[in-house]
Amino acid sequence: MMKPVSKPNLPEGMVTVLICGTADEKILSYFNKKGISVIKNTPNTDIDSAVSTHADMAAVHLGGKDILICKNQPQLAVKLKKFGMTVLESECPVSGEYPKDIGLNFAFIDARIFGNFNYADEALLKA
């Protein structure tokens, strides 16, 4: 069983699982050799194809076992639960063009949260 990092975005220990959209096979092979499991998220057809596989559009790690995912990514929820994560669902699906697609695009670094709060998903604000 993996031990989730307590500090998202800047983990203090070894990373063993990550969410990835599209990646070159060489990169995926490198992660595999390092013992890092890769969860590939499905393209979100409700947003611009240029960012449809970006992990930061599909999920935000809240710390520990808690992760908030886009409600229109049910396959991602199933994969994350297999790794023991507690999956919370966004209130609104990430959809449309910028800025309607950035509801989960936030970074937690120490006691600071970076992102555009004008477009934050309500579930993120509650969490």
Side-chain angles (χ1 to χ4, degrees):
M1 179 63 88
M2 70 160 197
K3 179 183 179 273
V5 296
S6 59
K7 295 179 184 177
N9 302 103
L10 292 176
E12 65 281 348
M14 181 67 176
V15 172
T16 57
V17 179
L18 60 83
I19 301 172
C20 179
T22 56
D24 183 83
E25 286 303 317
K26 288 181 183 178
I27 294 171
L28 296 175
S29 176
Y30 173 82
F31 287 143
N32 187 42
K33 287 177 187 172
K34 294 292 184 181
I36 300 171
S37 298
V38 176
I39 298 174
K40 293 185 84 175
N41 65 311
T42 306
N44 183 346
T45 57
D46 294 332
I47 62 176
D48 187 290
S49 61
V51 294
S52 67
T53 60
H54 285 207
D56 57 351
M57 300 295 202
V60 60
H61 184 199
L62 302 173
K65 291 185 175 190
D66 296 335
I67 191 161
L68 177 65
I69 69 161
C70 179
K71 73 185 310 177
N72 54 359
Q73 293 281 311
Q75 317 88 322
L76 183 57
V78 171
K79 293 173 186 177
L80 289 164
K81 287 177 182 178
K82 287 181 181 177
F83 284 97
M85 297 300 288
T86 302
V87 178
L88 308 169
E89 198 173 85
S90 67
E91 291 196 14
C92 297
V94 173
S95 62
E97 295 181 1
Y98 179 84
K100 294 179 182 177
D101 59 354
I102 63 167
L104 302 180
N105 197 339
F106 285 77
F108 292 77
I109 301 175
D110 292 326
R112 293 184 171 87
I113 304 171
F114 296 89
N116 188 334
F117 287 93
N118 293 325
Y119 302 100
D121 188 89
E122 284 297 317
L124 176 68
L125 297 175
K126 289 176 185 174

